[in-house]
Amino acid sequence: MEFELTETQQLIRQTARDFAVKELEPGAGDREHKGEYPFELLRKMAELGLMGINVPEKWGGVEAGVVAYSLAMMEIARACASTAVTMAVSNMVAETICKYGTQEQISTHVPKITSGEYSAGAFALTEPGCGSDASALRTTAKKTDGGWIINGTKQFITSGEHAGVAVLWARTGGPGAHGITAFLVPKDTPGLKIGPEEKKMGLRASNTVSMIFEDAFLPSDAILGEEGKGFSVAMTALDGGRIGVASQANGIGQAALEAARSYSLDRKTFGKPLSEHQAIQWMLADSATELEAARLLVLQAAYLKETNKPFTKQASMAKLFATETANRVCARAFQIHGGYGYIEDYPVERYLRDARITTIYEGTSEIQRLVIARLLIKG
Ligand code: COS
């Protein structure tokens, strides 16, 4: 068993860390409070290779693998979780197009995601009436001359307004998982309207909108993968996406622990720094231990994916544990800050708000438990 990182993994992590510390972190709180989408920073991240870490070089990626991706995601999320979620979805979309797309589809879209020509990619699965029960989706794709007519609404779509391309799931057949097909939808497709930006509790420097399809036309070659096989495309993409969100959550948790540690050294109560009170020490120790355990689970899932082994269960375990851990760690960091945690001058209120969604998107904690239990029982 090998715990050392390769040179490439160290390089990617250092690149992400340097960028995060110098460029992302300084304005992260301000951007989040104002709800400013960071176009320019995202373009710079693409230039550094961060939008296609596990994408082949010939499509503009850096082909550094899933462990490197996970490490980079932790570094970016530690500085700015809003930017991290945009990066996570863009990487997931680029990988999904590489895995299921035709050469034409890959060459049309993937280099534009990895180069930053597209500000992001989007993943349009969730609908107003279905989130966890993804195979109940109701958006329809009806065959017409030379293509498909799409009708329906997608909800809570990260980067939906700014993405150059979205992967869309729509019903082409009967009910259930086998009636679903995946499509590629370029920005500005006629018949596609973008809803108003959601006013979110956290991650406000990321873009979340609905995508409304009203008789939108997609050509026949917009299908991603095979007709009727779209649900498996979504599930496979989400398995990988869950490693991304688990890494993001771990990064947020690390930021919260650092903030708590630093505050506990400065702030004095009862004649000594907080860090010398056992009640605080135990909170810090629990947070550090849980974050380390989460990190190992996440990197294990990343390693399994990277080495082409089954990783669905480990990705769900990593997502479940890392996101629940991040919430506990942020809550402790907040508690350690006392009243100062509650005001915007300190970053812990942002960490707490940003961490909250990680147990929900890309599959709730309850869905992760369902996936884990099903695979466990199946044996
Ligand atoms: N990889 C590949 N294929 C998968 C898969 C996976 N991880 N999981 C399921 N599938 C396939 C199954 O093999 C099955 O195909 P066959 O009938 O050909 O064997 C098909 O998909 C349907 O699977 P299943 O019966 O398990 O589907 P369910 O409707 O029970 O849904 C859950 C399964 C709940 C796991 C799924 O709907 C899910 O992940 N929901 C959460 C969605 C989510 O994360 N949304 C967030 C969106 S992004 S913010």
Side-chain angles (χ1 to χ4, degrees), residues 125-126 131-132 134-135 177-178 231-232 235-236 238-239 242 312 361-363 367 370-371 374:
L125 176 66
T126 299
S132 289
S135 65
H178 296 282
F231 194 68
S232 282
M235 291 299 108
T236 307
L238 283 171
D239 282 347
R242 286 166 187 165
T312 299
Y361 64 16
E362 308 248 353
I367 289 295
L370 178 150
V371 170
R374 279 185 182 178

PDB file of all heavy atoms in Angstrom, residues 125-126 131-132 134-135 177-178 231-232 235-236 238-239 242 312 361-363 367 370-371 374, ligand 1:
ATOM      1  N   LEU A 125     -30.005  17.370 -15.152  1.00  0.00           N
ATOM      2  CA  LEU A 125     -30.752  16.144 -14.836  1.00  0.00           C
ATOM      3  C   LEU A 125     -31.969  16.466 -13.971  1.00  0.00           C
ATOM      4  O   LEU A 125     -33.098  16.086 -14.291  1.00  0.00           O
ATOM      5  CB  LEU A 125     -29.814  15.165 -14.107  1.00  0.00           C
ATOM      6  CG  LEU A 125     -30.417  13.851 -13.608  1.00  0.00           C
ATOM      7  CD1 LEU A 125     -30.847  12.965 -14.783  1.00  0.00           C
ATOM      8  CD2 LEU A 125     -29.409  13.075 -12.738  1.00  0.00           C
ATOM      9  N   THR A 126     -31.727  17.200 -12.876  1.00  0.00           N
ATOM     10  CA  THR A 126     -32.782  17.482 -11.893  1.00  0.00           C
ATOM     11  C   THR A 126     -33.918  18.308 -12.496  1.00  0.00           C
ATOM     12  O   THR A 126     -33.686  19.172 -13.344  1.00  0.00           O
ATOM     13  CB  THR A 126     -32.145  18.240 -10.703  1.00  0.00           C
ATOM     14  OG1 THR A 126     -31.155  17.396 -10.130  1.00  0.00           O
ATOM     15  CG2 THR A 126     -33.167  18.606  -9.636  1.00  0.00           C
ATOM     16  N   GLY A 131     -35.726  15.011  -8.012  1.00  0.00           N
ATOM     17  CA  GLY A 131     -34.310  15.203  -7.706  1.00  0.00           C
ATOM     18  C   GLY A 131     -33.691  13.854  -7.391  1.00  0.00           C
ATOM     19  O   GLY A 131     -33.013  13.246  -8.215  1.00  0.00           O
ATOM     20  N   SER A 132     -34.029  13.325  -6.200  1.00  0.00           N
ATOM     21  CA  SER A 132     -33.485  12.015  -5.802  1.00  0.00           C
ATOM     22  C   SER A 132     -33.969  10.901  -6.725  1.00  0.00           C
ATOM     23  O   SER A 132     -33.214  10.007  -7.098  1.00  0.00           O
ATOM     24  CB  SER A 132     -33.912  11.691  -4.362  1.00  0.00           C
ATOM     25  OG  SER A 132     -33.224  12.530  -3.458  1.00  0.00           O
ATOM     26  N   ALA A 134     -34.326  10.254  -9.821  1.00  0.00           N
ATOM     27  CA  ALA A 134     -33.940  10.822 -11.121  1.00  0.00           C
ATOM     28  C   ALA A 134     -34.629  10.144 -12.303  1.00  0.00           C
ATOM     29  O   ALA A 134     -34.912  10.784 -13.316  1.00  0.00           O
ATOM     30  CB  ALA A 134     -32.423  10.740 -11.264  1.00  0.00           C
ATOM     31  N   SER A 135     -34.945   8.840 -12.177  1.00  0.00           N
ATOM     32  CA  SER A 135     -35.527   8.144 -13.338  1.00  0.00           C
ATOM     33  C   SER A 135     -37.003   8.495 -13.546  1.00  0.00           C
ATOM     34  O   SER A 135     -37.635   8.011 -14.479  1.00  0.00           O
ATOM     35  CB  SER A 135     -35.340   6.628 -13.221  1.00  0.00           C
ATOM     36  OG  SER A 135     -36.068   6.139 -12.130  1.00  0.00           O
ATOM     37  N   ALA A 177     -36.218   4.137 -16.025  1.00  0.00           N
ATOM     38  CA  ALA A 177     -34.841   4.445 -16.418  1.00  0.00           C
ATOM     39  C   ALA A 177     -34.571   4.165 -17.896  1.00  0.00           C
ATOM     40  O   ALA A 177     -33.764   4.866 -18.526  1.00  0.00           O
ATOM     41  CB  ALA A 177     -33.879   3.641 -15.547  1.00  0.00           C
ATOM     42  N   HIS A 178     -35.255   3.162 -18.463  1.00  0.00           N
ATOM     43  CA  HIS A 178     -34.907   2.771 -19.836  1.00  0.00           C
ATOM     44  C   HIS A 178     -35.509   3.665 -20.916  1.00  0.00           C
ATOM     45  O   HIS A 178     -35.207   3.500 -22.102  1.00  0.00           O
ATOM     46  CB  HIS A 178     -35.264   1.303 -20.073  1.00  0.00           C
ATOM     47  CG  HIS A 178     -34.443   0.404 -19.202  1.00  0.00           C
ATOM     48  ND1 HIS A 178     -33.137   0.089 -19.489  1.00  0.00           N
ATOM     49  CD2 HIS A 178     -34.720  -0.173 -18.002  1.00  0.00           C
ATOM     50  CE1 HIS A 178     -32.646  -0.665 -18.514  1.00  0.00           C
ATOM     51  NE2 HIS A 178     -33.586  -0.841 -17.590  1.00  0.00           N
ATOM     52  N   PHE A 231     -29.847   6.934 -18.768  1.00  0.00           N
ATOM     53  CA  PHE A 231     -29.828   6.892 -17.299  1.00  0.00           C
ATOM     54  C   PHE A 231     -28.488   6.364 -16.780  1.00  0.00           C
ATOM     55  O   PHE A 231     -27.939   6.880 -15.805  1.00  0.00           O
ATOM     56  CB  PHE A 231     -30.994   6.046 -16.762  1.00  0.00           C
ATOM     57  CG  PHE A 231     -31.221   6.245 -15.293  1.00  0.00           C
ATOM     58  CD1 PHE A 231     -31.695   7.452 -14.798  1.00  0.00           C
ATOM     59  CD2 PHE A 231     -30.948   5.230 -14.385  1.00  0.00           C
ATOM     60  CE1 PHE A 231     -31.893   7.652 -13.432  1.00  0.00           C
ATOM     61  CE2 PHE A 231     -31.148   5.409 -13.018  1.00  0.00           C
ATOM     62  CZ  PHE A 231     -31.623   6.625 -12.546  1.00  0.00           C
ATOM     63  N   SER A 232     -27.969   5.350 -17.470  1.00  0.00           N
ATOM     64  CA  SER A 232     -26.660   4.821 -17.050  1.00  0.00           C
ATOM     65  C   SER A 232     -25.562   5.861 -17.250  1.00  0.00           C
ATOM     66  O   SER A 232     -24.604   5.915 -16.470  1.00  0.00           O
ATOM     67  CB  SER A 232     -26.309   3.554 -17.827  1.00  0.00           C
ATOM     68  OG  SER A 232     -27.039   2.494 -17.277  1.00  0.00           O
ATOM     69  N   MET A 235     -25.841   8.029 -14.213  1.00  0.00           N
ATOM     70  CA  MET A 235     -25.387   7.358 -12.979  1.00  0.00           C
ATOM     71  C   MET A 235     -23.860   7.229 -12.967  1.00  0.00           C
ATOM     72  O   MET A 235     -23.209   7.415 -11.932  1.00  0.00           O
ATOM     73  CB  MET A 235     -26.031   5.969 -12.858  1.00  0.00           C
ATOM     74  CG  MET A 235     -27.516   5.991 -12.581  1.00  0.00           C
ATOM     75  SD  MET A 235     -27.943   6.800 -11.006  1.00  0.00           S
ATOM     76  CE  MET A 235     -28.671   8.309 -11.572  1.00  0.00           C
ATOM     77  N   THR A 236     -23.293   6.886 -14.120  1.00  0.00           N
ATOM     78  CA  THR A 236     -21.829   6.759 -14.198  1.00  0.00           C
ATOM     79  C   THR A 236     -21.175   8.112 -13.950  1.00  0.00           C
ATOM     80  O   THR A 236     -20.188   8.220 -13.212  1.00  0.00           O
ATOM     81  CB  THR A 236     -21.419   6.218 -15.588  1.00  0.00           C
ATOM     82  OG1 THR A 236     -22.156   5.012 -15.819  1.00  0.00           O
ATOM     83  CG2 THR A 236     -19.944   5.931 -15.674  1.00  0.00           C
ATOM     84  N   LEU A 238     -22.418  10.571 -12.271  1.00  0.00           N
ATOM     85  CA  LEU A 238     -22.615  10.965 -10.870  1.00  0.00           C
ATOM     86  C   LEU A 238     -21.680  10.203  -9.932  1.00  0.00           C
ATOM     87  O   LEU A 238     -21.238  10.752  -8.915  1.00  0.00           O
ATOM     88  CB  LEU A 238     -24.069  10.756 -10.447  1.00  0.00           C
ATOM     89  CG  LEU A 238     -25.050  11.833 -10.942  1.00  0.00           C
ATOM     90  CD1 LEU A 238     -26.491  11.423 -10.665  1.00  0.00           C
ATOM     91  CD2 LEU A 238     -24.760  13.180 -10.293  1.00  0.00           C
ATOM     92  N   ASP A 239     -21.374   8.954 -10.268  1.00  0.00           N
ATOM     93  CA  ASP A 239     -20.395   8.225  -9.439  1.00  0.00           C
ATOM     94  C   ASP A 239     -19.101   9.022  -9.344  1.00  0.00           C
ATOM     95  O   ASP A 239     -18.532   9.197  -8.263  1.00  0.00           O
ATOM     96  CB  ASP A 239     -20.081   6.850 -10.053  1.00  0.00           C
ATOM     97  CG  ASP A 239     -21.179   5.829  -9.785  1.00  0.00           C
ATOM     98  OD1 ASP A 239     -22.043   6.088  -8.932  1.00  0.00           O
ATOM     99  OD2 ASP A 239     -21.173   4.769 -10.455  1.00  0.00           O
ATOM    100  N   ARG A 242     -19.517  12.415  -7.510  1.00  0.00           N
ATOM    101  CA  ARG A 242     -19.577  12.325  -6.037  1.00  0.00           C
ATOM    102  C   ARG A 242     -18.180  12.393  -5.423  1.00  0.00           C
ATOM    103  O   ARG A 242     -18.013  12.892  -4.299  1.00  0.00           O
ATOM    104  CB  ARG A 242     -20.333  11.045  -5.638  1.00  0.00           C
ATOM    105  CG  ARG A 242     -21.814  11.225  -5.894  1.00  0.00           C
ATOM    106  CD  ARG A 242     -22.668   9.992  -5.875  1.00  0.00           C
ATOM    107  NE  ARG A 242     -24.023  10.372  -6.300  1.00  0.00           N
ATOM    108  CZ  ARG A 242     -24.970   9.532  -6.666  1.00  0.00           C
ATOM    109  NH1 ARG A 242     -24.746   8.228  -6.658  1.00  0.00           N
ATOM    110  NH2 ARG A 242     -26.155   9.977  -7.035  1.00  0.00           N
ATOM    111  N   THR A 312     -18.385   2.578  -7.380  1.00  0.00           N
ATOM    112  CA  THR A 312     -19.676   3.189  -7.048  1.00  0.00           C
ATOM    113  C   THR A 312     -19.878   3.262  -5.527  1.00  0.00           C
ATOM    114  O   THR A 312     -20.229   4.316  -4.977  1.00  0.00           O
ATOM    115  CB  THR A 312     -20.829   2.388  -7.688  1.00  0.00           C
ATOM    116  OG1 THR A 312     -20.643   2.412  -9.099  1.00  0.00           O
ATOM    117  CG2 THR A 312     -22.185   2.967  -7.342  1.00  0.00           C
ATOM    118  N   TYR A 361     -26.563  18.068  -2.871  1.00  0.00           N
ATOM    119  CA  TYR A 361     -26.403  17.916  -4.336  1.00  0.00           C
ATOM    120  C   TYR A 361     -25.508  16.735  -4.710  1.00  0.00           C
ATOM    121  O   TYR A 361     -24.772  16.226  -3.912  1.00  0.00           O
ATOM    122  CB  TYR A 361     -26.029  19.222  -5.025  1.00  0.00           C
ATOM    123  CG  TYR A 361     -24.722  19.929  -4.736  1.00  0.00           C
ATOM    124  CD1 TYR A 361     -23.649  19.338  -4.103  1.00  0.00           C
ATOM    125  CD2 TYR A 361     -24.574  21.248  -5.178  1.00  0.00           C
ATOM    126  CE1 TYR A 361     -22.468  20.035  -3.900  1.00  0.00           C
ATOM    127  CE2 TYR A 361     -23.393  21.952  -4.978  1.00  0.00           C
ATOM    128  CZ  TYR A 361     -22.353  21.326  -4.341  1.00  0.00           C
ATOM    129  OH  TYR A 361     -21.191  22.004  -4.149  1.00  0.00           O
ATOM    130  N   GLU A 362     -25.668  16.309  -5.956  1.00  0.00           N
ATOM    131  CA  GLU A 362     -25.049  15.082  -6.495  1.00  0.00           C
ATOM    132  C   GLU A 362     -25.470  13.848  -5.681  1.00  0.00           C
ATOM    133  O   GLU A 362     -24.712  12.892  -5.546  1.00  0.00           O
ATOM    134  CB  GLU A 362     -23.519  15.194  -6.545  1.00  0.00           C
ATOM    135  CG  GLU A 362     -23.082  16.438  -7.254  1.00  0.00           C
ATOM    136  CD  GLU A 362     -22.387  16.201  -8.575  1.00  0.00           C
ATOM    137  OE1 GLU A 362     -22.112  15.047  -8.909  1.00  0.00           O
ATOM    138  OE2 GLU A 362     -22.158  17.167  -9.277  1.00  0.00           O
ATOM    139  N   GLY A 363     -26.685  13.897  -5.183  1.00  0.00           N
ATOM    140  CA  GLY A 363     -27.232  12.792  -4.405  1.00  0.00           C
ATOM    141  C   GLY A 363     -27.150  13.074  -2.924  1.00  0.00           C
ATOM    142  O   GLY A 363     -26.060  13.274  -2.377  1.00  0.00           O
ATOM    143  N   ILE A 367     -29.588   9.179  -0.299  1.00  0.00           N
ATOM    144  CA  ILE A 367     -29.372   8.427  -1.550  1.00  0.00           C
ATOM    145  C   ILE A 367     -28.032   7.684  -1.497  1.00  0.00           C
ATOM    146  O   ILE A 367     -27.921   6.543  -1.959  1.00  0.00           O
ATOM    147  CB  ILE A 367     -29.459   9.366  -2.788  1.00  0.00           C
ATOM    148  CG1 ILE A 367     -30.905   9.811  -3.014  1.00  0.00           C
ATOM    149  CG2 ILE A 367     -28.894   8.710  -4.049  1.00  0.00           C
ATOM    150  CD1 ILE A 367     -31.884   8.707  -3.391  1.00  0.00           C
ATOM    151  N   LEU A 370     -28.598   4.638   0.401  1.00  0.00           N
ATOM    152  CA  LEU A 370     -29.371   3.685  -0.417  1.00  0.00           C
ATOM    153  C   LEU A 370     -28.432   2.938  -1.388  1.00  0.00           C
ATOM    154  O   LEU A 370     -28.483   1.715  -1.507  1.00  0.00           O
ATOM    155  CB  LEU A 370     -30.447   4.467  -1.178  1.00  0.00           C
ATOM    156  CG  LEU A 370     -31.374   3.763  -2.152  1.00  0.00           C
ATOM    157  CD1 LEU A 370     -32.716   4.499  -2.184  1.00  0.00           C
ATOM    158  CD2 LEU A 370     -30.828   3.713  -3.553  1.00  0.00           C
ATOM    159  N   VAL A 371     -27.553   3.686  -2.049  1.00  0.00           N
ATOM    160  CA  VAL A 371     -26.616   3.062  -3.004  1.00  0.00           C
ATOM    161  C   VAL A 371     -25.695   2.089  -2.266  1.00  0.00           C
ATOM    162  O   VAL A 371     -25.491   0.948  -2.703  1.00  0.00           O
ATOM    163  CB  VAL A 371     -25.783   4.162  -3.731  1.00  0.00           C
ATOM    164  CG1 VAL A 371     -24.649   3.550  -4.546  1.00  0.00           C
ATOM    165  CG2 VAL A 371     -26.683   5.025  -4.617  1.00  0.00           C
ATOM    166  N   ARG A 374     -27.699  -1.047  -1.060  1.00  0.00           N
ATOM    167  CA  ARG A 374     -28.049  -1.948  -2.166  1.00  0.00           C
ATOM    168  C   ARG A 374     -26.855  -2.796  -2.589  1.00  0.00           C
ATOM    169  O   ARG A 374     -26.964  -3.999  -2.793  1.00  0.00           O
ATOM    170  CB  ARG A 374     -28.513  -1.135  -3.381  1.00  0.00           C
ATOM    171  CG  ARG A 374     -29.955  -0.682  -3.300  1.00  0.00           C
ATOM    172  CD  ARG A 374     -30.300  -0.006  -4.609  1.00  0.00           C
ATOM    173  NE  ARG A 374     -31.647   0.519  -4.622  1.00  0.00           N
ATOM    174  CZ  ARG A 374     -32.167   1.194  -5.647  1.00  0.00           C
ATOM    175  NH1 ARG A 374     -31.459   1.418  -6.732  1.00  0.00           N
ATOM    176  NH2 ARG A 374     -33.403   1.632  -5.592  1.00  0.00           N
TER     177      ARG A 374
HETATM  178  N1  COS B   1     -23.592   3.137 -12.945  1.00  0.00           N
HETATM  179  C1  COS B   1     -24.109   2.704 -14.104  1.00  0.00           C
HETATM  180  N2  COS B   1     -25.404   2.329 -14.236  1.00  0.00           N
HETATM  181  C2  COS B   1     -26.179   2.388 -13.137  1.00  0.00           C
HETATM  182  C3  COS B   1     -25.696   2.830 -11.888  1.00  0.00           C
HETATM  183  C4  COS B   1     -24.343   3.207 -11.830  1.00  0.00           C
HETATM  184  N3  COS B   1     -23.805   3.653 -10.678  1.00  0.00           N
HETATM  185  N4  COS B   1     -26.692   2.792 -10.993  1.00  0.00           N
HETATM  186  C5  COS B   1     -27.779   2.321 -11.634  1.00  0.00           C
HETATM  187  N5  COS B   1     -27.453   2.087 -12.936  1.00  0.00           N
HETATM  188  C6  COS B   1     -28.336   1.516 -13.956  1.00  0.00           C
HETATM  189  C7  COS B   1     -28.854   0.174 -13.465  1.00  0.00           C
HETATM  190  O1  COS B   1     -27.950  -0.857 -13.807  1.00  0.00           O
HETATM  191  C8  COS B   1     -30.176   0.051 -14.167  1.00  0.00           C
HETATM  192  O2  COS B   1     -29.992  -0.414 -15.491  1.00  0.00           O
HETATM  193  P1  COS B   1     -30.500  -1.899 -15.916  1.00  0.00           P
HETATM  194  O3  COS B   1     -31.964  -1.926 -15.562  1.00  0.00           O
HETATM  195  O4  COS B   1     -30.210  -1.945 -17.366  1.00  0.00           O
HETATM  196  O5  COS B   1     -29.702  -2.843 -15.092  1.00  0.00           O
HETATM  197  C9  COS B   1     -30.650   1.491 -14.270  1.00  0.00           C
HETATM  198  O6  COS B   1     -29.506   2.319 -14.115  1.00  0.00           O
HETATM  199  C10 COS B   1     -31.677   1.825 -13.209  1.00  0.00           C
HETATM  200  O7  COS B   1     -31.083   1.585 -11.958  1.00  0.00           O
HETATM  201  P2  COS B   1     -31.920   1.534 -10.608  1.00  0.00           P
HETATM  202  O8  COS B   1     -33.035   0.554 -10.782  1.00  0.00           O
HETATM  203  O9  COS B   1     -30.951   1.342  -9.507  1.00  0.00           O
HETATM  204  O10 COS B   1     -32.554   3.002 -10.591  1.00  0.00           O
HETATM  205  P3  COS B   1     -33.428   3.729  -9.488  1.00  0.00           P
HETATM  206  O11 COS B   1     -34.528   4.443 -10.165  1.00  0.00           O
HETATM  207  O12 COS B   1     -33.746   2.802  -8.361  1.00  0.00           O
HETATM  208  O13 COS B   1     -32.424   4.914  -8.998  1.00  0.00           O
HETATM  209  C11 COS B   1     -30.782   5.971  -7.643  1.00  0.00           C
HETATM  210  C12 COS B   1     -31.240   4.725  -8.416  1.00  0.00           C
HETATM  211  C13 COS B   1     -31.719   6.352  -6.527  1.00  0.00           C
HETATM  212  C14 COS B   1     -29.422   5.564  -7.099  1.00  0.00           C
HETATM  213  C15 COS B   1     -30.638   7.176  -8.618  1.00  0.00           C
HETATM  214  O14 COS B   1     -31.903   7.650  -9.042  1.00  0.00           O
HETATM  215  C16 COS B   1     -29.860   8.319  -8.027  1.00  0.00           C
HETATM  216  O15 COS B   1     -28.632   8.313  -7.987  1.00  0.00           O
HETATM  217  N6  COS B   1     -30.561   9.365  -7.557  1.00  0.00           N
HETATM  218  C17 COS B   1     -29.928  10.596  -7.119  1.00  0.00           C
HETATM  219  C18 COS B   1     -29.787  11.503  -8.276  1.00  0.00           C
HETATM  220  C19 COS B   1     -28.773  12.558  -8.010  1.00  0.00           C
HETATM  221  O16 COS B   1     -27.685  12.324  -7.530  1.00  0.00           O
HETATM  222  N7  COS B   1     -29.150  13.770  -8.377  1.00  0.00           N
HETATM  223  C20 COS B   1     -28.301  14.879  -8.247  1.00  0.00           C
HETATM  224  C21 COS B   1     -28.200  15.455  -9.613  1.00  0.00           C
HETATM  225  S1  COS B   1     -26.870  16.509  -9.822  1.00  0.00           S
HETATM  226  S2  COS B   1     -27.162  17.965  -8.569  1.00  0.00           S
END
